[in-house]
């Protein structure tokens, strides 16, 4: 917690209300700063956001009080104040300020405009604090995420009597939800890193070797459909596990092919809606003229070709989850309609006069930079921070290279029966090449490469064609680490170990899982010649 130099005070209530777009832009900007935020930066970013809110609203101090889920204890975890007053600190708010605590935890917005006159006689500690610091007004907003009471946003004024306009409390609550989610994620990540450190210590004690076993494909948290054990992926799984039971809107960001829909399905599967439909919609794949009809449906005769009534995806997903992939491609004229569904669950079919109401959880995904799109006027700011209540970022495969061996074996296991193959080993040079490759196409590209390798492999050893790396975009430039170079080194090592026997007992072809003729072809292509020939 910190104080800062006194800022501008030229933002009274009437100016805030006459320029609502400025406040909308402020909230969108503040929300964007918390996407993909490292744990160590959470406290500083919350306090910086608080400073901007205080300046904009004309208050003098703001505090976020966290409600601990373990024991219900309320404590101040972040506070910002102008330089002439102290930041608020309390490790046990109910103990220090019992009268105010009881009312703040009632779930209602609290406004005490004229202090200390508005305090009753029993509010002894509260009156003393107001007199000591000079607090003239307090406004508080309870913060809940997914139906769980997480904290309280408190604003205090010391220079003049102030109130928080009702029109702004709902929007400020959204910022409070962003703060609460950031704090929860930070707590979870700290626990996760501690658990991973303990696991690593156990591994070190047991002298674990770097062996890739098929049994290791499954990860913790029972996310059977998600493969990997890296810290980056485990962070995503922890976030998905946290948000799954809630009905909060989730925004999944990440490059194409990172598995955003897989995470969305996992969240649905672990939610209270798991018995209801999961409906996936790719907003970039639908024609611009038909996407409104696809999402919201249409009435017969609504347009040329509408010969029957059509039920839209939102109605199909009623009671369940709708996954809006590539949400950044949604046409500007449809964005306010989606915002309305988010706010009230209401929409009209194309050509209908009657309003339809649904109860749907929305999970959106994008590979675009939505804050940049907002700044360029291509995406609505209010829709962006409505979607971004709980952001999850999917790491690129190059950011979790330790998961490549697990993923490779996963795809082999899943595809080999269909292709009538039986792979038992992956040569170390091939695995090194797979791990070092930057994977611009992410997991989807890896899956395609493994399927190609299965088709080309004639024996129990996976043969990875170097044409993949040679022709792929952004392939490693270092020839010493190229797939062809690694394959040549591996074949040479096997030939030397077999004393250059291609046929007969203990031959190199059998050890490599190749036919002798195939091995000879590979030797010729890779310019491998027996010494002395």
């Amino acid at each position: 917690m910190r104080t800062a130099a006194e800022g501008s005070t030229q933002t009274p209530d009437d100016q805030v209300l006459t320029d609502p777009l400025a406040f909308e832009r402020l909230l969108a900007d503040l929300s964007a700063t918390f996407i993909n935020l490292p744990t160590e930066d959470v406290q500083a970013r919350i306090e910086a956001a608080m400073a901007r809110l205080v300046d904009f609203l004309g208050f003098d101090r703001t505090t976020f009080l966290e409600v601990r889920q373990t024991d219900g204890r309320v404590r101040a975890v972040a506070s910002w104040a102008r330089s002439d007053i102290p930041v608020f600190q309390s490790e046990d708010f109910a103990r220090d300020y019992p009268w105010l605590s009881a009312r703040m935890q009632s779930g209602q917005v609290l406004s005490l405009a004229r202090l200390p006159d508005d305090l009753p006689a029993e509010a002894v500690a509260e009156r003393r604090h107001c007199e000591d610091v000079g607090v003239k007004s307090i406004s508080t907003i309870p913060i809940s995420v997914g139906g769980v009471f997480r904290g309280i946003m408190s604003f205090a004024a010391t220079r003049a009597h102030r109130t928080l306009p009702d029109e702004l409390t709902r929007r400020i609550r959204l910022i409070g939800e962003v703060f609460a989610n950031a704090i929860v994620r930070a707590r979870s990540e700290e626990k996760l890193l501690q658990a991973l450190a303990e696991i690593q210590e156990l591994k070190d004690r047991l002298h674990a070797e770097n062996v890739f076993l098929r049994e290791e494909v499954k990860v913790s948290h029972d996310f059977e459909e998600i493969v990997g054990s890296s810290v980056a992926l485990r962070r995503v799984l922890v976030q998905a596990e946290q948000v799954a039971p809630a009905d909060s809107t989730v925004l999944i960001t990440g490059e194409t092919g990172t598995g955003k829909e897989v995470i969305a399905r996992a969240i649905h599967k672990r939610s209270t809606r798991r018995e209801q439909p999961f409906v996936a919609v790719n907003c970039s794949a639908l024609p611009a003229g038909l996407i409104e009809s696809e999402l919201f449906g249409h009435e017969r005769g609504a347009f040329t070709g509408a010969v029957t009534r059509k039920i839209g995806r939102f109605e199909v997903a009623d009671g369940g989850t709708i996954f809006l992939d590539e949400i950044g491609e949604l046409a500007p004229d449809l964005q306010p309609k989606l915002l309305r569904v988010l706010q009230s669950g209401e929409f009209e079919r194309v050509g209908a006069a009657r309003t339809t109401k649904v109860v749907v959880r929305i999970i959106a995904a994008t590979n675009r930079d939505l804050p940049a799109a907002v700044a360029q006027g291509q995406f609505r700011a209010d829709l962006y921070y409505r979607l971004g209540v709980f952001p999850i970022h999917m790491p690129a495969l190059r950011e979790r290279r330790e998961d490549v061996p697990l993923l490779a074996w996963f795809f082999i296991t899943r595809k080999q029966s269909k292709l009538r193959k039986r792979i038992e080993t992956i040569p170390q040079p091939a695995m090194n090449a797979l791990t070092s490759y930057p994977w611009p196409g992410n997991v989807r590209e890896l899956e395609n490469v493994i399927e190609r390798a299965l088709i080309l492999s004639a024996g129990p050893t996976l043969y990875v064609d170097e044409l993949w790396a040679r022709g792929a975009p952004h392939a490693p430039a270092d020839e010493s680490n190229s797939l062809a170079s690694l394959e040549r080194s591996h074949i040479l090592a096997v030939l030397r170990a077999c004393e250059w026997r291609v046929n007969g007992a203990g031959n190199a072809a059998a050890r490599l899982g190749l036919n002798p003729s195939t091995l000879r072809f590979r030797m010729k292509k890779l310019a491998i010649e027996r010494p002395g020939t």
Side-chain angles (χ1 to χ4, degrees), residues 207-212 405 428:
H207 305 287
E209 297 182 1
N210 186 23
V211 178
F212 306 113
Q428 193 61 48

Side-chain angles (χ1 to χ4, degrees), residues 217-387:
V217 168
K218 194 173 180 180
V219 298
S220 61
H221 304 289
D222 286 333
F223 282 82
E224 304 89 349
E225 63 273 48
I226 301 170
V227 178
S229 59
S230 62
V231 172
L233 182 62
R234 287 178 181 271
R235 183 181 296 116
V236 169
L237 300 187
V238 168
Q239 291 176 324
E241 199 169 62
Q242 287 175 335
V243 77
D247 277 339
S248 303
T249 303
V250 180
L251 178 62
I252 306 174
T253 59
E255 297 176 7
T256 299
T258 51
K260 297 187 287 293
E261 183 172 345
V262 176
I263 285 292
R265 289 183 181 276
I267 291 172
H268 171 74
K269 186 176 178 180
R270 285 154 185 80
S271 73
T272 57
R273 301 172 179 264
R274 55 184 169 270
E275 302 300 328
Q276 302 302 318
F278 177 92
V279 177
V281 181
N282 190 322
C283 297
S284 66
L286 294 172
L290 295 179
I291 189 168
E292 182 176 4
S293 172
E294 287 293 328
L295 290 176
F296 305 119
H298 64 250
E299 295 293 332
R300 179 181 179 183
F303 50 83
T304 303
V307 295
T308 60
R309 172 188 288 183
K310 178 177 180 178
I311 301 299
R313 306 288 183 91
F314 269 94
E315 285 184 80
V316 174
D318 192 14
T321 302
I322 190 167
F323 174 60
L324 301 177
D325 199 6
E326 303 301 344
I327 191 66
E329 307 303 322
L330 192 66
D333 59 326
L334 286 180
Q335 292 178 23
K337 296 180 181 180
L338 177 57
L339 179 63
R340 181 187 175 196
V341 178
L342 276 166
Q343 292 175 334
S344 64
E346 296 179 345
F347 61 90
E348 286 86 31
R349 297 194 193 107
V350 178
R354 183 174 61 87
T355 298
T356 300
K357 189 172 182 64
V358 293
V359 179
V360 176
R361 181 186 196 169
I362 296 178
I363 301 178
T366 184
N367 60 6
R368 290 189 62 187
D369 184 349
L370 285 189
V374 170
Q376 295 165 7
Q378 299 173 355
F379 202 84
R380 290 179 64 106
D382 48 3
L383 177 57
Y384 167 67
Y385 64 74
R386 268 288 181 183
L387 290 170

Side-chain angles (χ1 to χ4, degrees), residues 38 46 100-101 112 242 247-248 258 270 354 364 464 475 524 526:
I46 289 178
L100 191 56
S101 174
L112 301 175
Q242 287 175 335
D247 277 339
S248 303
T258 51
R270 285 154 185 80
R354 183 174 61 87
V464 183
K524 182 177 180 180
L526 294 169

